[in-house]
Amino acid sequence: PEFPGSRPCSFETVKNKDMATEQLVARIRDAIGDIPITHIILNHAEPDHSSTAAEIATHFYPGAVIHGSKIALKFLADISNSTGYSTHKVKNGEVLDVNGTKFVFNLAPNIHWPDTMITHCPDARPGVYLRLPRRPLRVPGGQAA
């Protein structure tokens, strides 16, 4: 696939278990090809949503910036035991523009976890979203995902 000038972003990642990182990256690459992810948005750093974010930003998409609340980025450093990636501490009401699509960050601590934030896309049209392919994918090691 070709997406001229695009800067794809990921919302959350996956739990670090049973080659989940490789499966996620294989699905992303199947959807967008070799275009690098430039932003990873963590709405909270609960391990089943984010424990691979640091690995993805370090090993697979080293130019990606991980966006999260101050507490989420601290939790991520703690659960990943790593800090060798780019981060951005978002402020309440801050706007991130990705390819002309604006994402508004609203901090909502303790709604779910102490680091929770809500990401809102005011320009989104109902029913428009990205779905990754559901067909089996081959991941490193030859296993189907």
Side-chain angles (χ1 to χ4, degrees):
E2 291 190 28
F3 303 94
S6 68
R7 299 179 320 171
C9 64
S10 171
F11 286 82
E12 312 293 335
T13 59
V14 293
K15 187 174 185 175
N16 190 6
K17 180 182 175 191
D18 299 330
M19 295 191 62
T21 305
E22 290 81 3
Q23 292 175 16
L24 175 63
V25 171
R27 289 183 182 274
I28 290 170
R29 288 185 174 153
D30 189 60
I32 65 172
D34 292 331
I35 300 169
I37 296 286
T38 56
H39 303 279
I40 299 172
I41 297 169
L42 296 182
N43 287 312
H44 69 296
E46 188 175 5
D48 64 328
H49 294 269
S50 64
S51 61
T52 59
E55 180 182 6
I56 289 171
T58 303
H59 299 295
F60 295 98
Y61 298 107
V65 176
I66 300 176
H67 302 269
S69 68
K70 178 180 179 179
I71 298 169
L73 296 175
K74 182 189 179 323
F75 285 170
L76 178 63
D78 291 346
I79 63 175
S80 68
N81 203 21
S82 173
T83 56
Y85 46 86
S86 297
T87 62
H88 174 242
K89 294 175 191 166
V90 302
K91 296 179 180 79
N92 193 47
E94 187 172 341
V95 177
L96 173 67
D97 186 312
V98 180
N99 306 320
T101 300
K102 292 178 177 42
F103 297 103
V104 181
F105 302 120
N106 295 292
L107 302 181
N110 298 312
I111 291 290
H112 176 60
W113 265 51
D115 61 334
T116 301
M117 75 174 183
I118 298 165
T119 304
H120 172 68
C121 181
D123 300 326
R125 297 183 315 271
V128 176
Y129 56 93
L130 171 67
R131 284 192 336 191
L132 294 179
R134 299 302 299 163
R135 66 184 176 280
L137 298 170
R138 295 284 165 200
V139 296
Q143 300 171 335

